[in-house]
Amino acid sequence: QVQLVDSGGGSVQAGGSLRLSCAASGGTFSSYTMGWFRQAPGKEREFVAVIRPSRSTYYADSVKGRFTISRDNAKDTVYLQMNSLKPEDTAVYYCSAASSMTYQDLFDQGRYAYWGQGTQVTVSS
C-alpha cells in the first residue's frame, strides 16, 4: 500500500512561485508514474502534470512553460515547481501514483490508485 503526503502549498501573489512536494512510502517509488492534479472551488479535479519512471513529462496546456514536475527517487519524492502563478491556479493540489500506465492513462485520474491528502494553493491578484 502506497501512502502519499502532499506539502508546500500556501498563499502567494500573482507572479510568485511555490514548490509542492509529495513524499511517498510503502512501495517501489521509482517504478510508479507520479501525477499532480488540482481542484478549484466548484470545479472538477483536473490534470496538471505527470512524470513517468523514465522521467518523461507531460503538462496541461494551462501550466506548460510555468510549472515543472520532477522526481527524486533517492528521496521517494515528487515535486511540482510552480512559477508565474496566476489567480486561476488557485486550487487544492493532489499528488497521485500509479503503475503500468499507458500513454492514454496518464491524463485520466481514474487510473491513479493512490492519492495524497491535498495541499491548498491560493494566488491573489
Side-chain angles (χ1 to χ4, degrees), residues 10-119:
S11 297
V12 296
Q13 291 190 327
S17 298
L18 283 173
R19 187 175 81 156
L20 306 183
S21 299
C22 173
S25 61
T28 305
F29 178 79
S30 60
S31 70
Y32 281 89
T33 292
M34 302 298 298
W36 285 97
F37 290 76
R38 67 185 181 187
Q39 187 167 19
K43 296 187 176 181
E44 294 189 354
R45 191 156 55 183
E46 64 177 6
F47 168 80
V48 175
V50 63
I51 185 166
R52 305 184 84 164
S54 64
R55 297 182 187 272
S56 58
T57 58
Y58 303 90
Y59 296 92
D61 288 343
S62 59
V63 307
K64 204 171 293 183
R66 299 188 298 121
F67 291 12
T68 302
I69 188 171
S70 62
R71 65 193 299 157
D72 185 337
N73 290 339
K75 296 183 178 179
D76 290 355
T77 300
V78 63
Y79 303 98
L80 186 67
Q81 177 67 44
M82 305 186 295
N83 298 329
S84 303
L85 283 161
K86 304 175 181 180
E88 51 264 43
D89 294 318
T90 295
V92 178
Y93 284 71
Y94 299 89
C95 79
S96 56
S99 58
S100 304
M101 300 280 276
T102 67
Y103 174 79
Q104 289 77 10
D105 291 341
L106 295 176
F107 314 103
D108 180 357
Q109 59 179 303
R111 296 295 188 178
Y112 288 80
Y114 307 104
W115 291 86
Q117 81 284 1
T119 185

